[in-house]
Amino acid sequence: MKLHKPEPHWSGAKPPVIEKSQIPKHVAVVMDGNGRWAKNKGLVRTEGHRAGEAPLFDMVEGAIEIGVKELSAYAFSTENWKRSPEEVKFLMGFNKEVLRRRRDQMNELGVRIRWIGQEKKLWSSVVDELLEAEELTSKNKVLTLNMCVNYGGRAEIVSAAEALARDFKRGKVSKFDEKSFTKYLELPSDVDLFLRSSGEQRLSNFLPWQSAYAELVFMDVLWPDADRRTLWKAIEEYASRNRRFGKA
């Protein structure tokens, strides 16, 4: 299959020129501010979520253009079940629709889609769409898009610790250390850049282990107003920082 190139941004904007070594390999994105965006426009909250689809996939194209290799999107957290039944129902159906609507486009761009999260409580139809998207795109190598649906960082850590302890006790693992522990995580790769929209400044239980040494960038833009330029601006900020990893 011949791969498609990302569509140019409507504004004509191009990615900034940054040294390849200064481009983050893995970017985690908290897509925050949909509800406030809708409220500001006199709309119901679900319309904010609906408007948040386009920014994510524009950001995917922008990530490909600038050379990011992995993008993790916080699509639905384990805490989101606490929202109203109406909003949860919408989000379940919307996640399913987005996957079905976008998977062919992502496949044509060479994007590998991975599902990170728990199956417990998820609609079976959403699980089916996630697994079909994974299968369709499994051989793609341009960019990995981790769709974090029903994901919680603390739950991931507890589950990994339990599995490692079990295998250590059975003699399947010789060491109980950070390196062996990481292999039991759903998402083992470290995050380089942690980007959150809406101006809020917290991790919200998103990839806490993987983000231990991530550069945190909080953008004062509501998610539906974000696009690839938001990502590029965050990467410029990332490139300007000195990552020491504990060294002097």
Side-chain angles (χ1 to χ4, degrees):
M1 181 184 71
K2 185 177 180 181
L3 296 180
H4 293 187
K5 292 183 178 180
E7 289 291 327
H9 191 262
W10 60 265
S11 69
K14 303 289 184 182
V17 178
I18 299 174
E19 287 277 346
K20 188 176 180 180
S21 62
Q22 295 295 99
I23 302 293
K25 294 181 179 67
H26 184 183
V27 179
V29 181
V30 178
M31 304 177 287
D32 195 23
N34 293 335
R36 275 168 284 170
W37 181 89
K39 184 178 179 180
N40 291 345
K41 294 183 176 296
L43 303 170
V44 295
R45 284 179 58 84
T46 53
E47 289 306 306
H49 295 307
R50 197 182 301 280
E53 176 186 349
L56 173 59
F57 292 99
D58 190 73
M59 203 167 278
V60 166
E61 292 188 297
I64 293 171
E65 285 184 297
I66 202 167
V68 171
K69 300 305 293 184
E70 189 168 8
L71 187 68
S72 295
Y74 210 5
F76 189 90
S77 78
T78 50
E79 287 75 32
N80 286 158
W81 295 107
K82 299 174 184 177
R83 297 187 177 183
S84 70
E86 294 78 18
E87 186 170 354
V88 168
K89 182 179 179 181
F90 172 84
L91 287 169
M92 286 293 100
F94 187 60
N95 273 296
K96 180 176 66 175
E97 291 169 11
V98 168
L99 285 160
R100 186 180 300 161
R101 184 163 53 243
R102 295 285 187 167
R103 66 187 179 197
D104 288 339
Q105 177 190 357
M106 294 297 100
N107 191 41
E108 290 168 355
L109 287 168
V111 175
R112 178 190 177 200
I113 297 173
R114 290 185 62 211
W115 168 34
I116 307 297
Q118 301 176 27
E119 186 171 346
K120 183 181 178 182
K121 294 177 72 173
L122 266 184
W123 287 11
S124 59
S125 56
V126 176
V127 172
D128 289 344
E129 291 293 341
L130 286 162
L131 295 178
E132 286 182 25
E134 279 193 332
E135 183 178 0
L136 175 68
T137 64
S138 62
K139 296 181 180 179
N140 293 338
K141 297 180 180 179
V142 174
L143 171 78
T144 296
L145 173 61
N146 299 311
M147 292 294 293
C148 300
V149 182
N150 201 25
Y151 172 84
R154 288 180 174 179
E156 180 191 24
I157 290 170
V158 169
S159 178
E162 288 176 340
L164 174 56
R166 200 161 46 242
D167 284 352
F168 183 78
K169 186 176 181 180
R170 293 170 179 170
K172 293 183 178 181
V173 180
S174 59
K175 289 186 178 181
F176 201 118
D177 56 14
E178 287 186 20
K179 187 175 180 179
S180 56
F181 174 79
T182 300
K183 295 177 182 177
Y184 284 80
L185 293 168
E186 295 178 70
L187 185 54
S189 57
D190 285 343
V191 171
D192 298 304
L193 168 61
F194 188 104
L195 168 61
R196 182 173 188 143
S197 60
S198 87
E200 299 291 347
Q201 300 185 17
R202 54 181 178 272
L203 301 186
S204 294
N205 200 24
F206 188 44
L207 303 174
W209 178 278
Q210 297 86 341
S211 300
Y213 276 101
E215 293 298 322
L216 310 180
V217 176
F218 303 106
M219 307 292 284
D220 194 17
V221 55
L222 300 178
W223 180 251
D225 292 327
D227 61 17
R228 71 187 74 181
R229 294 171 298 180
T230 311
L231 173 66
W232 294 342
K233 186 176 180 180
I235 291 175
E236 286 183 297
E237 172 63 26
Y238 169 89
S240 73
R241 297 183 185 179
N242 181 18
R243 304 184 77 201
R244 295 188 298 273
F245 299 98
K247 300 175 184 178

